[in-house]
Every structure is written in C-alpha cells, then in structure tokens.
Amino acid sequence: MKSPYKGKTGIKRLVNAFGYSIAGTLAAFKHEDAFRQEVILAAILTPIAIYYGETAIDQALMISSLFLIIIVELLNSSIEATVDRISVKHHKLAKRAKDIGSAAVFFSLINAAVIWFLILVK
C-alpha cells in the first residue's frame, strides 16, 4: 500500500517536513509533561554548558547529551501515543513497548549525567 503522503520532492518536501517537525514539537510540548520538563532542563543547562565547558568539544558533548534526551523523549512519546491509539487496554506487549521506551529515556539521562560529571570533575 502506498502512502498518499509520500511522493513530494524537492523544496516542497522540505517545507512539508519542516512543518511536520514544528507540529510534532508543539504537540509534544502541549501533551507531554516529561518533554516540557526536559526542554526546560536543556534551556537551563545549555548556558551552563557553554560557561563551564572548557573546550568546544566539552561544550558540544554537554549540549548534545541534552539534545539526545529530548530526541529519545520524542521517540518514547510517539511509541506511547501509537500504543494508546491501538488500544488503551492493558496488554503485556503494550506495557513492554512503553517500558522499553521509558528505559531508553532513562539511559539517555544517565548518559548525560556521566558526560557532565566527567567533564565538570576533570
């Protein structure tokens, strides 16, 4: 089955993709508490990373670790929305999908904490 949304090319595709990205970001900000918290955390910590990162590489690692948290949270939220769209009934596979998404967010948070610790404590 071919998607009716595929087939646009060139600038039109880029414009549409940008619009979908903005819509997705706004939807996540409106409906996902964890996403809002992580965006606020990144907004607070980004200037701190710029100030305390001694090199551009330090700064890039610290900031990219924050963006990774946001990216993983977006993926987790999309998994949860998809599972809930299919059914809100308790099902072991739905729980597994949601738990695995949550674990991915958890490990992205640990990753950021380790990066920040190693850079700030050196």
Side-chain angles (χ1 to χ4, degrees), residues 8-68:
K8 293 185 175 46
T9 59
I11 298 296
K12 179 85 169 159
R13 187 189 70 76
L14 293 175
V15 169
N16 286 347
F18 180 75
Y20 300 144
S21 297
I22 296 300
T25 303
L26 293 174
F29 202 83
K30 179 179 180 182
H31 298 287
E32 301 294 333
D33 292 336
F35 179 76
R36 285 192 299 274
Q37 293 167 353
E38 290 156 356
V39 166
I40 291 167
L41 180 70
I44 292 167
L45 291 179
T46 295
I48 294 170
I50 292 168
Y51 182 78
Y52 284 106
E54 292 182 12
T55 67
I57 292 174
D58 290 345
Q59 294 169 346
L61 284 170
M62 294 167 83
I63 294 169
S64 65
S65 72
L66 300 174
F67 273 96
L68 182 63

Side-chain angles (χ1 to χ4, degrees), residues 78-98:
S78 68
I79 290 167
E80 289 182 353
T82 301
V83 168
D84 290 345
R85 164 63 176 89
I86 294 167
S87 176
V88 292
K89 290 182 186 176
H90 182 75
H91 189 280
K92 66 181 179 179
L93 291 176
K95 180 181 181 342
R96 184 188 310 167
K98 289 183 173 191

Side-chain angles (χ1 to χ4, degrees), residues 68-79:
L68 182 63
I69 293 168
I70 292 169
I71 292 164
V72 174
E73 183 60 49
L74 286 168
L75 293 170
N76 181 48
S77 295
S78 68
I79 290 167

